[in-house]
Amino acid sequence: MANVDIIDLKKTILEDNDADANVLRESLKKENLVYINVMSSPGSGKTTTLLATIAGLKDRYKIGVMEADIDSDVDAKKIAEAGIPSVQLHTGGMCHLDADMSRQGMRALGCENLDVVFLENVGNLVCPAEFDTGAQINVVILSVPEGHDKPLKYPLVFEKCAAVLVNKIDALPAFDFDMDQVKAYVKARNPQAKVFPISAKTGDGIADWCAYLSELIEQVRA
């Protein structure tokens, strides 16, 4: 029987993208531009959290936002209405962004006068974690209604993040959500990740989160 070569296309795609992501990071470093990738499930409050975060950072940094979705421009319009440069990226059915898509988005956004670019990745806890966007900082938002067991079910995204924002803490009385347990689960997956309980709606915890994020940004820019 003849031997058949087996090519792992997914492995090849990921390796090629990882190499491209490293090239993008080197380019961003030379430009002194900080790229922050925000990942979460749909409905976790990414856009509202981004707006609250930007409000806490805008006096210090010039910020732009890339909104990634399969379709629509709802989120980009919300960001633009807040006076923040934004661009909507349609992924054509893909559930993630990769390094080259990030590069194309930054080109469309125009980053010459920006210090920080946020990517609101496609709502999904699986694919966005597998594809390196070239970002220097990765953040995950987990909302209270989703439950505290998500770090067990979707470990990779939590392993790759610098911080986990537990959003919608104003809704804690209505849900069986154990904050101590989620912190323990995150620590088991990623001892270096910081956990910030926040409410993007009320502003609770946003100041502490922004202070920490500013530290990360300065580390990248150093």
Side-chain angles (χ1 to χ4, degrees):
M1 182 179 293
N3 292 328
V4 176
D5 291 334
I6 299 175
I7 307 300
D8 188 338
L9 295 178
K10 181 178 180 180
K11 180 180 179 181
T12 301
I13 291 169
L14 291 175
E15 288 177 346
D16 289 348
N17 181 67
D18 287 348
D20 193 24
N22 288 331
V23 171
L24 178 57
R25 266 187 290 273
E26 286 300 316
S27 174
L28 295 175
K29 185 174 182 63
K30 293 176 182 177
E31 298 170 14
N32 203 28
L33 182 64
V34 180
Y35 182 23
I36 302 171
N37 176 29
V38 181
M39 300 174 283
S40 80
S41 298
S44 67
K46 285 194 297 298
T47 306
T48 306
T49 300
L50 266 180
L51 287 169
T53 301
I54 291 168
L57 298 177
K58 66 180 181 180
D59 291 339
R60 187 170 185 179
Y61 304 107
K62 296 176 182 177
I63 299 171
V65 176
M66 300 190 299
E67 292 284 348
D69 277 303
I70 293 174
D71 205 346
S72 91
D73 59 0
V74 173
D75 294 335
K77 284 182 177 179
K78 288 181 182 178
I79 298 294
E81 287 169 359
I84 306 300
S86 65
V87 63
Q88 185 74 53
L89 308 178
H90 285 171
T91 63
M94 299 178 70
C95 58
H96 67 276
L97 242 67
D98 61 22
D100 189 56
M101 293 175 187
S102 295
R103 187 179 291 108
Q104 294 179 55
M106 289 180 187
R107 192 178 301 124
L109 180 63
C111 301
E112 295 80 8
N113 298 314
L114 299 179
D115 302 312
V116 176
V117 172
F118 284 95
L119 166 65
E120 181 177 332
N121 215 319
V122 181
N124 192 311
L125 289 177
V126 181
C127 299
E130 294 182 334
F131 286 83
D132 192 338
T133 61
Q136 300 106 322
I137 300 171
N138 292 299
V139 178
V140 179
I141 301 174
L142 169 64
S143 64
V144 166
E146 294 174 70
H148 56 258
D149 58 356
K150 290 300 178 289
L152 298 180
K153 294 182 176 181
Y154 305 96
L156 184 61
V157 70
F158 292 92
E159 290 169 2
K160 292 197 170 184
C161 67
V164 178
L165 308 184
V166 181
N167 191 27
K168 304 186 182 182
I169 58 172
D170 52 296
L172 276 170
F175 292 92
D176 183 19
F177 187 95
D178 190 326
M179 188 67 69
D180 291 334
Q181 191 66 76
V182 78
K183 289 179 179 179
Y185 288 154
V186 170
K187 186 176 182 180
R189 296 297 185 187
N190 184 351
Q192 283 74 46
K194 302 288 186 180
V195 178
F196 292 89
I198 67 165
S199 171
K201 180 180 179 180
T202 67
D204 288 348
I206 295 296
D208 288 343
W209 155 237
C210 287
Y212 177 69
L213 183 56
S214 292
E215 292 178 7
L216 292 182
I217 291 171
E218 291 307 309
Q219 289 174 17
V220 172
R221 287 161 60 92

